[in-house]
Amino acid sequence: MRRLPPLSAVRVFEAAARHGNFTRAAEELGMTQAAVSYQMKLLEERVGAPLFARSGRGIALTDIGRRIAPQITTAFDAMGDAFAAVHAESESVMRITAPRTLATNWLAGRIGSFQLARPELAVRLHVGDEIVDLLAGEADVGLRGAPGPMPGHSCHFLMGMPVAPFASPDFLARHPPVRTPADLLELPRLTYNDDWWDLWFAAAMGETPAYVDLAGVRFDSQILDGNAAIAGHGISILSPPMWLPAIASGQLVQLLPQITAQYRNAFWLMYAENKRNQPKIRAFRDWLLEEVKTSLAHDPWGALVAPEDRPAD
């Protein structure tokens, strides 16, 4: 364990030695001259020898002071360089974490426009459903699915999670038409045990219908569900904001489009409160909020309605 004197006193000594004057050292450090003198007294007591010779209003380094002053200045310069390098790296790299479906189906196709707008930033996107500790600095910002804001974070609502059944035109052409919610019970549904199905049926029929487990394909990812539906293998329960290109191109067709359920979670932009004034954080926040609004301009599913603004069930 290093036996160091108080760094506050060492910092005062370095400034006073560099300026050769207590008054200018006090001005640089934002201290009073009396406080500078007090810190010097503490340091000299700790060293056990005088560091400055005082003559009237002037000061001069003693032999011991002249011996250690250059090394102290070099040490402070090295610390300054180290922190400056970390700050420069922090300001030039934007680390984003986002869950798989949002990152793959929504963010990846748009993040390039942010990079073009801020070419000085190196964007790093971490994709995963695990929770990354933003308060510990593991990422600069996180896009998360959660019921609401998280304590200790600055949080901005992005979009809700509306859910509805979708299938491909080819699948619909090969099966009887769907006119009522109950008709879906007679058709192949992908990942039929997903709780989004129960949520949607409850919204469509007023209750969750009783049905036995069916033989069929089950996935652990909305990405797989949606791609299987596009391939014509069944009906998937999806969140349409994650499938905008496929819906716009006609690869996915919403069944009973007048009925959409809202999942309890929503997507939020989150970051540590102490980062809220960083230029790169503000730039990404402003870009992202505008991008969400643009992508859901007509918003037929109510995705832009914040949870607190939704009517009570």
Side-chain angles (χ1 to χ4, degrees), residues 259-287:
I259 304 172
T260 301
Q262 296 290 338
Y263 188 52
R264 63 179 178 273
N265 284 359
F267 285 118
W268 304 81
L269 169 65
M270 302 186 185
Y271 45 87
E273 290 180 350
N274 60 8
K275 291 189 174 185
R276 63 184 180 276
N277 291 322
Q278 290 186 5
K280 67 177 182 180
I281 301 295
R282 294 200 305 266
F284 182 74
R285 177 195 64 209
D286 294 346
W287 170 83

Side-chain angles (χ1 to χ4, degrees), residues 9-299:
V10 176
R11 183 165 173 256
V12 169
F13 166 74
E14 192 279 332
R18 182 162 31 85
H19 288 293
N21 186 285
F22 281 179
T23 300
R24 287 199 291 273
E27 291 172 352
E28 176 184 315
L29 300 174
M31 303 171 64
T32 64
Q33 187 171 348
V36 168
S37 298
Y38 176 72
Q39 290 294 331
M40 283 298 86
K41 180 181 178 182
L42 290 180
L43 185 60
E44 288 175 334
E45 289 177 353
R46 183 68 175 267
V47 172
L51 300 175
F52 290 98
R54 295 159 180 82
S55 175
R57 291 179 175 271
I59 61 169
L61 287 166
T62 64
D63 288 342
I64 293 176
R66 282 193 298 271
R67 191 189 330 164
I68 66 175
Q71 299 179 59
I72 299 299
T73 296
T74 299
F76 273 98
D77 287 343
M79 285 191 290
D81 291 344
F83 283 109
V86 170
H87 178 75
E89 179 181 346
S90 175
E91 286 299 303
S92 64
V93 178
M94 186 69 189
R95 298 169 301 157
I96 306 165
T97 178
R100 284 181 293 171
T101 301
L102 181 65
T104 303
N105 284 22
W106 192 90
L107 184 60
R110 294 174 168 82
I111 194 66
S113 67
F114 175 72
Q115 181 73 84
L116 289 174
R118 296 299 300 265
E120 76 280 7
L121 288 176
V123 177
R124 302 289 183 263
L125 177 58
H126 169 268
V127 179
D129 294 332
E130 69 275 13
I131 298 298
V132 171
D133 192 345
L134 300 174
L135 302 184
E138 294 179 6
D140 294 306
V141 299
L143 280 62
R144 289 180 174 169
M150 296 180 65
H153 298 73
S154 289
C155 300
H156 306 271
F157 170 74
L158 295 177
M159 66 180 90
M161 294 187 192
V163 298
F166 286 84
S168 70
D170 175 67
F171 177 89
L172 296 176
R174 290 186 283 108
H175 292 83
V178 174
R179 296 189 175 91
T180 69
D183 293 337
L184 291 174
L185 299 173
E186 307 301 323
L187 298 175
R189 288 182 292 114
L190 298 168
T191 315
Y192 57 84
N193 60 337
D194 190 326
D195 60 358
W196 281 7
W197 278 117
D198 292 342
L199 177 67
W200 185 84
F201 276 121
M205 304 173 68
E207 61 181 0
T208 301
Y211 52 84
V212 297
D213 286 350
L214 307 173
V217 180
R218 289 184 289 180
F219 298 109
D220 66 354
S221 164
Q222 186 184 170
I223 297 173
L224 298 177
D225 271 308
N227 283 304
I230 290 172
H233 298 314
I235 304 170
S236 288
I237 188 79
L238 304 173
S239 186
M242 300 298 100
W243 299 92
L244 296 175
I247 295 170
S249 66
Q251 292 177 287
L252 285 173
V253 177
Q254 183 176 350
L255 285 72
L256 303 171
Q258 71 276 16
I259 304 172
T260 301
Q262 296 290 338
Y263 188 52
R264 63 179 178 273
N265 284 359
F267 285 118
W268 304 81
L269 169 65
M270 302 186 185
Y271 45 87
E273 290 180 350
N274 60 8
K275 291 189 174 185
R276 63 184 180 276
N277 291 322
Q278 290 186 5
K280 67 177 182 180
I281 301 295
R282 294 200 305 266
F284 182 74
R285 177 195 64 209
D286 294 346
W287 170 83
L288 183 63
L289 294 177
E290 185 60 31
E291 195 69 26
V292 169
K293 292 179 182 178
T294 300
S295 72
L296 293 168
H298 303 296
D299 194 23

